[in-house]
Amino acid sequence: MKKYKIGLFGFGCVGQGLHEALSDNPQVAAEIVKICVKNLDKERPLSKDKFVFDPKSILEDEDIDLIVELIDDAKLAFEIVSDALRQRKPVISANKKMVAENLDKLIALQQEYDTPILYEGAVCGSIPIIKTLTDYYSLENVLEIKGIFNGSTNYILTKVIEENKSYKEALEAAQVNGFAETDPTLDVEGYDAKYKLSIVIEHAFGVHVHPDNIFNQGIQDITKSDITFAKERGLKIKLLAKAVKYNNYFSAYVAPHFVSKESPLYHVENEYNAVLVQGAFADDQVLVGKGAGKLPTGLAVLSDVNAIANNYRYSQRQVSSMAIQSTVEEVYVSFSPEQPVNFNLFTNVSEKYIGQNSGYVIGEINTDSLQELLTNADTNVIFTSGAKEEIEIHRLTYSYEIG
Ligand SMILES: NC(=O)c1ccc[n+]([C@@H]2O[C@H](COP(=O)([O-])OP(=O)(O)OC[C@H]3O[C@@H](n4cnc5c(N)ncnc54)[C@H](OP(=O)(O)O)[C@@H]3O)[C@@H](O)[C@H]2O)c1
């Protein structure tokens, strides 16, 4: 079998994880021959002569026949990846932002130059969701896909809800443990999860939806009273990414959800991710695993290297004409009593409470109106679809709370 010569871009967390995983698997027909990094003066665990600074010294090296892109700069990553595909060099990337924002262009380049790009490591770390959807589910009518797609936010929510840590303490612990970036915005505001959701939608439904068209609300606005509300009802709050197929359209969003004990997602804690796929034939299946980190992601990238060495490429799902649409969802919205939200934006209100320090409303609202409502300061939303029955039972039991 031919041994691929890898030109690696990036030798940070994932790049080093790939190196370790490959060293442990000499049967994989590939070796890393050059590594491009930003700072050549950094101490590295490998011989200095492997490292280069100029991307061209990899891209123009005719001996290199596989490009693995693991840098943290999405714009440059797209330039590197497109250049490589144009030279008919197969590509592997773990960069969800780059892949999600350019998926249509990447598919076109892949077809035009008849050269594969794989990106298993970009979505939920060690969980093999892309290959599972592409291969195993290729004959399945996927109806819904949802899950915990971001390990940092799940870690923070676990610490805040289970261990009563403050949001700041939990975020700092996530950063110390390497689960959250120094700038955590992409994680905590739900962007990272929606990049992954956009990629998953492509492989589950055969539709490309740009991440800008997916609603996202993160965990940054969750208040103490939201957590009290959840705890009193035996619920947890999880940041879920979710896409649901209807007849000729689908909905997709990332938002905090109340999750009840009956859901398999209730038990997924800390940096773990989970993906729940509902199909017309197979019904529900859940995949749970480490969503990030050096070795789990390094192994996902290595599995793509091995796949390329075995001539694997993603088969395209039949392209669907379905479009994303806003939908009416039942949500809990909390607000400051000094600045109540516009209740008229709800199509149906089932519960309303305004106390001295906090207020909330539970009702049905169109996701476009929800976006408008969230422009109010001190307003947060939690979707109730993972725990609707529990909230209804509570409403019967504690009816005095209804305002
Ligand atoms: N960390 C995870 O658990 C995880 C999980 C899934 C996906 N990913 C994705 O994998 C990618 C890499 O993440 P990471 O955590 O490994 O990042 P990281 O630890 O910050 O490492 C980034 C690497 O990219 C190099 N780099 C940055 N800009 C560059 C440039 N202009 N030219 C050449 N090299 C450049 C850096 O070089 P220096 O070493 O010289 O600074 C460094 O080696 C990202 O797209 C990320 O979203 C990460």
Side-chain angles (χ1 to χ4, degrees):
M1 192 192 260
K2 162 184 170 169
K3 193 160 191 172
Y4 275 92
K5 291 195 173 359
I6 299 176
L8 174 61
F9 285 86
F11 199 63
C13 176
V14 186
Q16 292 182 42
L18 169 67
H19 178 261
E20 243 177 276
L22 182 57
S23 307
D24 212 41
N25 282 286
Q27 74 278 23
V28 176
E31 60 176 322
I32 298 171
V33 295
K34 270 188 199 170
I35 307 171
C36 179
V37 287
K38 190 157 70 175
N39 178 357
L40 275 182
D41 299 329
K42 243 187 212 175
E43 273 302 306
R44 310 281 177 185
L46 298 179
S47 151
K48 264 195 182 302
D49 55 13
K50 259 204 158 51
F51 292 89
V52 295
F53 172 74
D54 183 0
K56 281 192 192 143
S57 53
I58 287 187
L59 291 167
E60 291 177 3
D61 183 334
E62 287 182 1
D63 283 346
I64 290 177
D65 50 9
L66 175 56
I67 300 298
V68 179
E69 179 285 302
L70 302 172
I71 66 171
D72 52 351
D73 172 342
K75 203 163 166 276
L76 178 64
F78 181 62
E79 286 171 24
I80 291 167
V81 163
S82 1
D83 194 344
L85 289 172
R86 283 193 196 98
Q87 295 187 49
R88 298 183 192 271
K89 294 187 186 203
V91 172
I92 293 161
S93 173
N95 197 323
K96 50 245 147 170
K97 184 174 193 302
M98 185 279 288
V99 174
E101 288 182 338
N102 298 290
L103 204 41
D104 47 352
K105 295 185 199 120
L106 293 174
I107 290 171
L109 280 168
Q110 184 175 239
Q111 283 166 352
E112 186 178 347
Y113 294 95
D114 191 23
T115 305
I117 170 166
L118 306 181
Y119 36 80
E120 190 66 70
V123 182
C124 298
S126 65
I127 301 177
I129 186 60
I130 300 301
K131 289 196 193 79
T132 304
L133 286 172
T134 309
D135 301 334
Y136 184 78
Y137 278 94
S138 62
L139 305 175
E140 172 65 289
N141 175 14
V142 178
L143 302 172
E144 181 177 312
I145 185 150
K146 71 176 172 191
I148 297 167
F149 284 16
N150 181 271
S152 330
T153 45
N154 203 42
Y155 179 89
I156 293 169
L157 289 172
T158 303
K159 298 294 165 208
V160 167
I161 295 169
E162 300 300 303
E163 297 174 23
N164 295 320
K165 295 251 186 326
S166 71
Y167 176 79
K168 194 168 166 281
E169 284 170 331
L171 174 59
E172 279 167 9
Q175 285 167 329
V176 167
N177 285 300
F179 305 135
E181 308 283 331
T182 321
D183 173 8
T185 318
L186 291 183
D187 288 331
V188 298
E189 295 188 7
Y191 289 93
D192 175 86
K194 84 167 173 174
Y195 297 140
K196 294 169 182 167
L197 183 62
S198 153
I199 300 171
V200 157
I201 288 170
E202 177 79 38
H203 288 261
F205 299 157
V207 184
H208 178 57
V209 50
H210 194 281
D212 286 354
N213 298 325
I214 298 176
F215 170 89
N216 66 297
Q217 168 73 8
I219 63 166
Q220 73 280 10
D221 296 326
I222 294 175
T223 63
K224 275 199 177 128
S225 53
D226 299 337
I227 293 167
T228 306
F229 180 97
K231 283 189 170 172
E232 281 178 359
R233 289 150 180 86
L235 304 169
K236 286 186 184 167
I237 303 172
K238 298 282 181 195
L239 184 70
L240 300 189
K242 186 169 171 183
V244 184
K245 190 157 85 180
Y246 299 94
N247 286 337
N248 52 359
Y249 68 96
F250 66 98
S251 67
Y253 45 80
V254 171
H257 282 63
F258 289 124
V259 174
S260 70
K261 279 194 182 70
E262 283 65 40
S263 166
L265 301 176
Y266 182 93
H267 309 281
V268 178
E269 300 286 30
N270 292 309
E271 73 273 28
Y272 278 79
N273 280 194
V275 186
L276 202 154
V277 185
Q278 190 189 54
F281 296 92
D283 209 347
D284 283 350
Q285 290 199 358
V286 193
L287 291 96
V288 181
K290 286 201 169 160
K294 181 178 166 184
L295 293 179
T297 316
L299 182 70
V301 176
L302 181 63
S303 100
D304 277 350
V305 171
N306 198 39
I308 293 279
N310 286 289
N311 295 319
Y312 174 89
R313 58 176 60 201
Y314 298 139
S315 52
Q316 294 301 316
R317 257 190 190 256
Q318 205 174 356
V319 178
S320 160
S321 58
M322 281 194 311
I324 188 168
Q325 273 189 21
S326 57
T327 43
V328 173
E329 304 288 338
E330 197 197 56
V331 298
Y332 153 107
V333 173
S334 60
F335 50 83
S336 144
E338 286 93 56
Q339 208 181 351
V341 293
N342 180 359
F343 300 120
N344 294 327
L345 289 173
F346 286 82
T347 51
N348 173 28
V349 169
S350 52
E351 190 170 336
K352 199 194 295 177
Y353 167 81
I354 303 184
Q356 272 198 325
N357 303 314
S358 63
Y360 68 79
V361 52
I362 299 176
E364 291 179 346
I365 188 166
N366 182 285
T367 43
D368 285 342
S369 308
L370 182 61
Q371 221 142 13
E372 182 188 332
L373 191 137
L374 287 171
T375 55
N376 242 36
D378 299 324
T379 304
N380 182 44
V381 63
I382 303 180
F383 284 50
T384 66
S385 55
K388 204 170 169 193
E389 282 169 18
E390 280 64 26
I391 289 171
E392 272 163 12
I393 290 163
H394 177 89
R395 207 174 279 148
L396 293 174
T397 322
Y398 299 91
S399 53
Y400 62 87
E401 269 194 298
I402 299 174

